Every structure is written in structure tokens, then in C-alpha cells.
Amino acid sequence: MSDVTASHRWKIEKGLSGDFIFKAVTVLFAFSILVILMLMLYEMVSQSLPSLRKFGGHFMTGMDWDAVQEQFGALPFIYGSVISSVLALLLATPLAVGTALFITEIAPRRLGGFAASLVELLAAIPSVIYGLWGILIMTPWLQQTAQPLLQKYLGFLPFFQGPAYGVSMLAGVLILMIMVVPIITSITKEVLLAVPRSQREAAIALGATRWEMIRMAVLPYGKSGILGAVILGLGRAIGETMAVTMVIGNNPKISLSLFSPAYTMPSVIANEFAEASSPLHSAALMNIGLLLLVITLIINALARLLLWSMSRGAARGAKL
Amino acid sequence: MNSKVKLDDLNVHFGGTHAVKGVNIDFPANSVTAIIGPSGCGKSTVLRAVNRMHDMTPGAQVTGRILLDDTDIYGRGVDPVAIRRKIGMVFQKPNPFPAMSIYDNVIAGYKLNGRMRRDEADEIVESSLQRVALWDEVKDRLKSNAMELSGGQQQRLCIARTIAVRPEVILMDEPASALDPISTMKIEELIEELKERYTIIIVTHNMQQAARVSDVTAFFYLGELIECGVTKKIFTTPDRKQTEDYITGRFG
């Protein structure tokens, strides 16, 4: 009798302590993420201090980047990053959503699966490979074929003026577009697959054609998910370093023309950090890193806000 | 009664499964036909064959003929989209479009016809909602989201959306099985009124419901039509032993 009681008690104690250890370990892990983030932020702020002290808010509006004169302004890099990412997304989104629609709605199942795995393969290619392709194949093509054509027919627009070097904002935009299409496509594909059959059937039973079904039932249902996919693509585009550095021309000038070389925030950090000799120069680069982090956080926060307001609308509907 | 929809040796296969086996039925015009039978007997499969819903299912194969008036809807050169405009469908779970307002839900199908005038749309929305007895409940909030309605209201909205297209036949696949008793009662009253204008075919698990709303009842078992006849007769003096066993609750 006493034997049974003892073993029973032993089990209870064992269970409790196992739970306690599990909880403690997971809390520790979860907390460590926060600590790492805080440490990173602290380190970046403290390393940027010389630049923050010297330039303050002017750092973000300054146009000069001169290591010899120790004049540092980040605006050309901010401009280059934001414009190249946003334009890349504008081009990539219709392409990616169209591809995802083809995979999920139009293609026969086997062809769709094949196309989907190709897209996933594209997402797995290292960015330096994209960069190599860009510099060896795309930029010569831009210089010799695409840019002269654009200049001939659309040259009256300020976006397509100036000499064609090949390496340019345009090249950066195109390489980024190619790189974000796979990620947007594969997430959009999952979003579209998650649209319930009942929604599709509702549209079909009303006498909708396939396209009308997509427009009426599939896209509106997947709207917030597709938006999430686009935001993730934006996150990837704005942080992309290697491939962009290889084709964008790396010239810190702000120009309306897509033909002129530009520079992005990650690119300047990658290019100059190793050879930054003066403390102010490395502080300025660190400051750009800090800005990049802040911009990324703002984009993420805006995306969350957008998704939250959209899903709140739906949840409010479901509750009442 | 003259028949509106006629199944002539209808067979449905899914891959290697023979789900519906050589079914012949006449669905009389302006009446309610109930299809009953235990789960997996093929009753929903028959229903979905009538507006060519199986076209969307890879691997589904429908043979035989289904006549709407005198047209074989599986005939050569028949457009399934046009067929579905004449044969509407209401599903088991209410499925309004969640991104649309009540108004837009009702007009969604009708809008596929092309451009229409604003007052024409208003008129369609009002008359469709009137007919499903939802107008008084929602007329002050036509612009609010359809998901704000209760389950029963959503199902009536889906029926309004279906009749706004002006079909001739309405298929209902267990339209009240996800609803509470009061909403169910409203749907049943609605079916009674709708049969003046439409031919209704309803699949139901609920035998009392079949007895209450239908004029004709068809009993299916294992993909075959066992018996089809006037509802009163099926529920009192069925010809077949299997029918009697099922309606008295001895199996199924």
C-alpha cells in the first residue's frame, strides 16, 4: 500500500519539475531574442554616436558623401534604397500574383506543381549568382538594347534620359524585381490555396466564369494575405545587398533618371566598411545601418497595422 | 405534372469509385423534390451533377443525360456557365462573400450579366431580399458587411443572391443543417413560397424536413435510386422495404 503511494507521489513531482524546466528554458530562449535585439540596437547607437553628434538630423538630409572631407549625408542612399525597392515591388507584384494565379487556378495540377517548384528553386539561388548574371548578361543587354529603345520611344520622360551605362538604378530595380518575385509568388500561392472551396463554389454556382470567380471570390478573400506577401517582398528588397551592389553603379547621386547609377544603404555599408579608416567614417556607416534598421522596423510596423486593421474589420463582422 | 429537370441514366464516377449508378428521375416543375438517404449515398453528388458543379472536380466523370426542359445540359456546345445561371445552388454552410457588403452580395451574380443601371440594381436587391424575407431586417444597413448577419440571415442572403440571377431551378444542399431551429423554420417557409416561381431540388438529412417541405421524395442508397414518389406516400406506404427501414429509423 505504502509502495503505491510512494510511486504515485514520485510521478507527480517528476512531472512538475519537468514542466518547470521546460518553461524556464523556453522563457529564457524567448527572452534572449529580445536581449539580442536590444544589444544590437544599443551597439549600433553607441557606435554611430560620433556621427549622430556631428551631423544629427542633417545626416538624413545631407547630400554629400565625402570620406576625405569627412562630410557624410545619407539622403542619396535612402533615396536609392527606397526607390529601387518600391519600383521593384510595383513591377514584381502583378507578375508574382499572376504567376500564383496560374499555378493555383489555371494550370493542370501537375504543371502547376512543376511551376511552383521552379519558383521555389528561384528563391533558393544565392543573391551573388543573381548579381553575376546581372553584371555579365543583364547590364550589357540594358546598355546595348533596352536603354536605347527606352530612350528612343520614352526619352521625353525625365526617367529615361542621360547616357546608357548599363549599371544603373534601372538595373538595380530589375534585379530586385527578379529576386522578390519568387517570395511573393510562393506566399501568394499558399494564400490562394487557403481560399475555401465554398467561396469558389459560391461564385461558380452564380454563373461566374473562371476569371470572374477569381475576381469575385478568390482575390478579395486573399487580399490581406497577398498584401502580407508584398510586404515580405519589400523587406527582402530593401535589405538585399550583394546583387544590387553589383549592378546599381554605386554612385551616391540623386537623379530622376533611371539610367543614372545610384547607391543603396546596404551597398555602401558592404563596400566601405572594410576600408573606413577614420572613426567618423565608420560611425557614419554605422549610422546608415541604424537608419536601415529603423526603416525596416517602420515598414514592418506599418504592415502589421494594415493587416491588423483589415483582419479587425473581418473579425468584427464575424462576431456580431 | 410536367417535368422541369429529368435525369436519364445518370452515372457519376470519381476516379475508380462509381458514386451514382444509373439514376432516372423526373423533377416536376414548380414543386419541391427532396432527396434523402444515409451519408455517402450519392445524394449530394446527384445534386451537384445538375448544375455541372463536377466540372470543377478533377477526376470526376459524368455520363448519361440531364435534361433541363428539352436541353441536355451535358450536350455538345452547351456552356456550363449559362446552365448555372438557369440552375442556381444554395450550399450547406452559408457562404456569403466576406469582403462584400450585403448589397454587393445580393447583386454579385446578377452583375455578371454586364453593365446595369443603378436603379435597376437597387430594384433587384430589394425584390430579392423581399422574397427571402430579409429586407425588413437589413434595409437600413445594406452597406454593412455581410458577415455581420447571423447564420440564418446569411443563408437567406445566399438564397437572395441565387434568386437575383433569376434562375429557373434552385438546388439546395442541406440548406438548413448548419442553422438553429428558428432559422431552419424560416428557411422551410421560404422554400414553400419559392416553389411558386422555381423548381426546387433539396438534399436533406432531416426526414421530418423532407416530409414538411417536399412534394416529391427520392430515396437513395449506395448510389442508387431506391424509390421516388409523392412525399406522402413515401413516408406512409413506401413500396420498397429499404425505404421503409430508412424512414422508420431502422438504419442510416
Side-chain angles (χ1 to χ4, degrees), chain B residues 117-241:
Chain B
R117 293 195 319 277
R118 178 78 209 193
D119 53 340
E120 185 189 348
D122 289 347
E123 205 277 315
I124 297 270
V125 169
E126 179 170 351
S127 65
S128 304
L129 287 171
Q130 291 273 17
R131 202 159 302 147
V132 300
L134 197 58
W135 176 251
D136 290 331
E137 292 163 56
V138 302
K139 65 179 179 216
D140 300 322
R141 47 177 176 141
L142 290 172
K143 290 289 161 212
S144 54
N145 191 286
M147 303 312 282
E148 291 178 18
L149 300 174
S150 73
Q153 289 173 322
Q154 285 183 20
Q155 192 62 305
R156 279 183 284 152
L157 178 67
C158 291
I159 298 174
R161 181 176 69 183
T162 302
I163 62 182
V165 184
R166 299 182 170 157
E168 295 165 16
V169 178
I170 301 177
L171 310 175
M172 296 186 170
D173 192 356
E174 302 186 38
S177 67
L179 305 179
D180 62 85
I182 293 176
S183 304
T184 301
M185 203 178 74
K186 284 189 179 165
I187 299 282
E188 288 182 10
E189 284 168 2
L190 182 58
I191 292 172
E192 187 66 32
E193 278 168 35
L194 289 175
K195 78 174 182 188
E196 284 175 21
R197 285 164 172 259
Y198 309 98
T199 301
I200 295 173
I201 307 174
I202 177 172
V203 162
T204 178
H205 251 110
N206 179 332
M207 278 181 278
Q208 287 79 22
Q209 184 170 64
R212 281 193 300 262
V213 303
S214 71
D215 305 298
V216 175
T217 298
F219 170 62
F220 277 75
Y221 186 60
L222 297 177
E224 288 178 69
L225 175 66
I226 303 298
E227 186 170 355
C228 178
V230 175
T231 298
K232 198 170 266 172
K233 180 169 183 302
I234 294 281
F235 280 92
T236 49
T237 54
D239 291 333
R240 303 283 295 264
K241 181 84 171 64

Side-chain angles (χ1 to χ4, degrees), chain A residues 109 197-199 201-209 212-213 215-217 220-221 223 316-318 320, chain B residues 48 53 56-58 81 84-85 89 91 95-100 108-109 112 147-149 161-162 165:
Chain A
R109 200 178 289 177
R197 197 186 152 107
S198 67
Q199 286 291 314
E201 288 186 340
I204 289 295
L206 288 172
T209 60
E212 285 164 341
M213 173 195 83
R215 207 189 49 196
M216 184 191 271
Y221 196 94
K223 195 171 52 182
R316 190 193 55 209
L320 283 171
Chain B
R48 296 165 66 86
M53 264 337 224
M56 302 298 292
T57 316
V81 169
R84 295 189 195 108
R85 319 220 56 163
M89 187 161 189
F91 298 85
N95 55 357
F97 298 119
M100 292 185 195
L112 298 173
M147 303 312 282
E148 291 178 18
L149 300 174
R161 181 176 69 183
T162 302
V165 184

